[in-house]
Amino acid sequence: FKHNKSGFQILNSYIKPGTIIIFETTGVYSAQLTTYLKNKKVKFYELNPLEAKLRMASLRRNKTDKNDSFKLALLGKTQLAEIKNHCNKQSNSLYESLRILSLRYKQLIKCRTRILNFLRSSLELTFPELNQIFKKAYAVLAL
């Protein structure tokens, strides 16, 4: 399902009383799902990607979103007690806010790097001797 209003409505049609949702933390993408599940008061467990990989190592042959979803459901059936002990079910709001801000910061840094690389490559096409003039290619003066 897509991470928009209609996508979450589709997800909601699958949620029955007593449903437990298990998913991998995927940065800013899982933050929307986490917020939605908290608002709907649905029980969920968010697995750290490394922990999910280790837990699914024996199950994971070919990695696709569909296979991973199925394997996470199998983990819920076979290892739910262990998952409950290791996952952050409902973290406090201060920690959650800091975590989301940290994810957003990382996303902005990636975006900034991508833009600087694009700008730098465009400048090198126009001024090929730029690398000889400036020692620091990404210095403010060079850009």
Side-chain angles (χ1 to χ4, degrees):
F1 64 92
K2 293 185 180 185
H3 285 232
N4 57 26
K5 187 176 181 179
S6 61
F8 285 123
Q9 287 173 343
I10 292 169
L11 172 65
N12 197 45
S13 69
Y14 288 99
I15 298 174
K16 308 292 182 234
T19 298
I20 298 173
I21 299 195
I22 299 173
F23 59 95
E24 274 184 69
T25 300
T26 54
V28 293
Y29 302 108
S30 62
Q32 292 172 321
L33 179 60
T34 301
T35 302
Y36 176 79
L37 294 173
K38 282 181 181 178
N39 289 341
K40 290 289 184 178
K41 296 183 176 30
V42 176
K43 193 172 198 177
F44 68 92
Y45 296 98
E46 199 171 351
L47 281 176
N48 176 299
L50 178 60
E51 182 180 1
K53 181 179 179 180
L54 294 173
R55 287 184 180 277
M56 293 190 300
S58 62
L59 304 173
R60 191 176 276 196
R61 295 252 190 260
N62 51 351
K63 180 164 176 33
T64 66
D65 288 342
K66 191 174 182 178
N67 285 341
D68 284 355
S69 297
F70 179 73
K71 290 168 187 167
L72 284 168
L74 281 176
L75 286 179
K77 274 298 215 190
T78 59
Q79 300 178 26
L80 187 59
E82 291 176 36
I83 289 171
K84 284 180 182 180
N85 292 330
H86 291 102
C87 289
N88 57 334
K89 293 181 251 180
Q90 306 289 329
S91 55
N92 70 38
S93 61
L94 178 60
Y95 172 79
E96 190 63 26
S97 297
L98 289 172
R99 187 180 74 81
I100 290 169
L101 287 171
S102 173
L103 292 171
R104 181 69 180 136
Y105 177 76
K106 287 179 185 177
Q107 187 181 34
L108 289 171
I109 292 297
K110 274 185 179 179
C111 185
R112 178 182 178 263
T113 302
R114 196 174 317 120
I115 290 169
L116 283 175
N117 287 338
F118 177 77
L119 176 61
R120 184 65 190 181
S121 65
S122 297
L123 285 172
E124 285 177 3
L125 289 173
T126 310
F127 304 108
E129 64 280 352
L130 201 61
N131 288 330
Q132 296 166 356
I133 298 171
F134 296 101
K135 291 181 182 174
K136 293 183 179 179
Y138 292 97
V140 173
L141 184 60
L143 295 175

